Amino acid sequence: MRRAAVAAVGALALLSPAACGGADSEADQKDVEVFTWWADGGEKAGLDGLVATFDEQCDYSFVNGAVAGGAGSNAKQVLASRLQQGDAPDTFQAHAGAELSDYIAAGQVEDLSALYEEWGLTEALPSGLIDNLSVDGKIYSVPANIHRANVLWTNKSVLSDAGVTAEPTTMADFLAALETLKAKGVSAPLAIGKDWSQLMLLEAVLISDLGPEGFNGLWNGGTDWNSPDVAKGLENYKQLLSYTNADRDTYDWTDAGKLLMDGKAGFFLMGDWAPSDFEAKGFADFGHVAFPGNGDTFQWLADSFVLPQGAKNPEGTKCWLKTVGSAEGQQAFNIKKGSIPARTDVTATDYPAYQQSAIEAWKTATQVPSCAHGAACSQGAVEAANSAIGKFSSDQDAAGLQKALAAAAALGRN
Ligand code: GAL
């Protein structure tokens, strides 16, 4: 009788959704869905590095939930609707700073403070960065890296063929170089992509025109968006935009990067995920310099991972987060991603030359946060700024842009 019942249960189990690979199957319990926008090129290579370490350190299976599109332009919408429907991935990518505060305020992510103690992260990570991951003394995510946003990448051959022999360090040099490239028939002297990439360019111009303190004030209320200095910055930005590819609003950052790789552009303003993408695509003829006029200001952003409320496999997520925070995970990830480790206990010489210089610069430079990548601005502020900058790309109304950005920044103060 008992044996028969057991057999019947066994037969039922074979027919159950679990046995068909449904929600409770053993395979599912091992799965950790990692939601990012790192789907291709250097970004994917970085993620692959992290996954290799996860496979070594954890008895769980990585499930790739990536949604392509630079800066999360598609992923963030998909994620928002999944979170709303109670269908959280096991972990997702979020930027340190105001963007993470949005998820915390919405009660969508769990407090990780106890795990920080257990894993020794409180000592291994810089306290300033931990502050950007915390609200009311609780820490909500594990950072994978620090990226630098304000870097100007160059195509060395395009510049030398046009007779531009030195990389520009001031706005005046930069405009002169762009004019030279244009005169020599370079079709897009300055390559650029859509909305958020344009916001990055504007931010870099404003760092030059207002200085780091004035720039910070734009996001924390200390600098008046309606001032003449900001108006001058917007005019400089407008001038720079006139040297960019006209079809910029249809381009993701990788399309703009391709213009540089193909020799159709001489310059490209982009974060330091760009060189790893160039390398992943076999392009080595590039140089770099801090955006003209930014001096030693390091505009930063940091990718981090969270434990969402309602994650299906919290234990698996914890193993992912432990990997992200570990010295091995950070090395495997950042060597490929182009960023520098968030941990401070690293050996710089383990990294390629670019990251070695960024590790040094991060220690000595003046740090300012990125709005486009959520360090300084809430998601609402970034969306409003992107839409204002997209509108400006076609109507060129600088006064309208100034007003719209003032309103966008006011949304982001938290
Ligand atoms: C940023 C992200 C970077 C990089 C970039 C381009 O928001 O922090 O890691 O992926 O987008 O997609």
Side-chain angles (χ1 to χ4, degrees):
M1 209 17 217
R2 194 164 172 271
R3 207 176 305 137
V6 170
V9 170
L12 272 179
L14 279 176
L15 296 172
S16 72
C20 303
D24 297 314
S25 73
E26 205 181 309
D28 284 355
Q29 285 164 20
K30 288 283 175 198
D31 287 351
V32 179
E33 189 200 355
V34 177
F35 187 96
T36 69
W37 53 85
W38 298 330
D40 179 43
E43 296 183 313
K44 169 84 167 37
L47 181 61
D48 288 347
L50 204 44
V51 174
T53 315
F54 175 70
D55 286 345
E56 272 164 35
Q57 295 188 351
C58 299
D59 186 21
Y60 290 95
S61 315
F62 167 82
V63 174
N64 194 349
V67 174
S73 47
N74 306 318
K76 284 184 181 170
Q77 286 164 24
V78 174
L79 178 64
S81 89
R82 285 188 57 176
L83 294 179
Q84 210 173 16
Q85 289 160 20
D87 177 30
D90 292 304
T91 183
F92 63 83
Q93 174 188 354
H95 288 121
E99 180 182 308
L100 183 68
S101 304
D102 285 343
Y103 294 116
I104 301 170
Q108 291 166 323
V109 292
E110 303 271 6
D111 173 15
L112 304 175
S113 309
L115 295 173
Y116 261 65
E117 289 306 321
E118 193 183 320
W119 299 337
L121 292 181
T122 325
E123 294 75 47
L125 296 168
S127 57
L129 180 59
I130 293 183
D131 287 348
N132 278 283
L133 306 168
S134 306
V135 167
D136 294 338
K138 294 178 180 164
I139 315 171
Y140 288 88
S141 76
V142 178
N145 64 358
I146 307 283
H147 265 303
R148 185 174 190 170
N150 56 335
V151 190
L152 190 65
W153 306 96
T154 65
N155 179 315
K156 285 187 181 170
S157 303
V158 170
L159 296 198
S160 64
D161 289 353
V164 176
T165 48
E167 278 148 349
T169 55
T170 65
M171 194 63 77
D173 290 349
F174 190 28
L175 287 166
L178 290 167
E179 194 50 43
T180 306
L181 293 178
K182 189 176 167 187
K184 297 277 180 184
V186 175
S187 61
L190 174 59
I192 200 162
K194 66 181 176 185
D195 50 24
W196 62 270
S197 325
Q198 294 167 28
L199 181 57
M200 288 183 75
L201 178 63
L202 173 63
E203 288 187 63
V205 171
L206 291 173
I207 293 170
S208 293
D209 284 345
L210 305 175
E213 224 181 289
F215 175 81
N216 270 334
L218 291 171
W219 314 113
N220 65 26
T223 300
D224 179 8
W225 267 99
N226 296 306
S227 70
D229 286 350
V230 174
K232 177 177 163 262
L234 296 190
E235 281 310 321
N236 280 336
Y237 169 67
K238 184 174 180 176
Q239 210 177 348
L240 289 180
L241 215 55
S242 72
Y243 293 100
T244 65
N245 40 303
D247 49 3
R248 55 191 171 248
D249 298 326
T250 63
Y251 274 33
D252 204 340
W253 71 275
T254 41
D255 305 315
K258 189 165 185 311
L259 290 179
L260 191 84
M261 291 192 271
D262 290 349
K264 294 179 181 153
F267 297 103
F268 178 40
L269 179 273
M270 192 40 60
D272 53 13
W273 46 88
S276 57
D277 200 58
F278 297 152
E279 275 153 24
K281 292 170 182 170
F283 174 66
D285 187 26
F286 63 90
H288 69 90
V289 64
F291 187 79
N294 281 199
D296 71 355
T297 302
F298 187 122
Q299 191 186 26
W300 71 271
L301 57 119
D303 296 302
S304 72
F305 284 89
V306 297
L307 171 55
Q309 274 275 333
K312 294 175 196 72
N313 186 358
E315 290 311 310
T317 303
K318 285 177 195 165
C319 210
W320 172 261
L321 297 177
K322 190 173 180 186
T323 304
V324 169
S326 69
E328 300 81 359
Q330 299 224 333
Q331 184 166 337
F333 175 66
N334 286 299
I335 282 183
K336 293 288 179 195
K337 185 70 165 64
S339 37
I340 61 173
R343 293 179 70 106
T344 51
D345 56 354
V346 295
T347 310
T349 47
D350 289 344
Y351 286 80
Y354 172 76
Q355 278 104 320
Q356 288 188 32
S357 68
I359 288 171
E360 204 39 48
W362 175 242
K363 285 190 208 142
T364 53
T366 309
Q367 299 170 7
V368 299
S370 155
C371 173
H373 301 285
C377 295
S378 68
Q379 308 209 49
V382 175
E383 278 164 28
N386 281 343
S387 104
I389 209 116
K391 181 168 175 289
F392 178 77
S393 179
S394 41
D395 72 12
Q396 302 281 295
D397 171 10
L401 176 62
Q402 193 166 4
K403 242 174 104 182
L405 288 174
L411 293 173
R413 274 169 221 146
N414 43 31

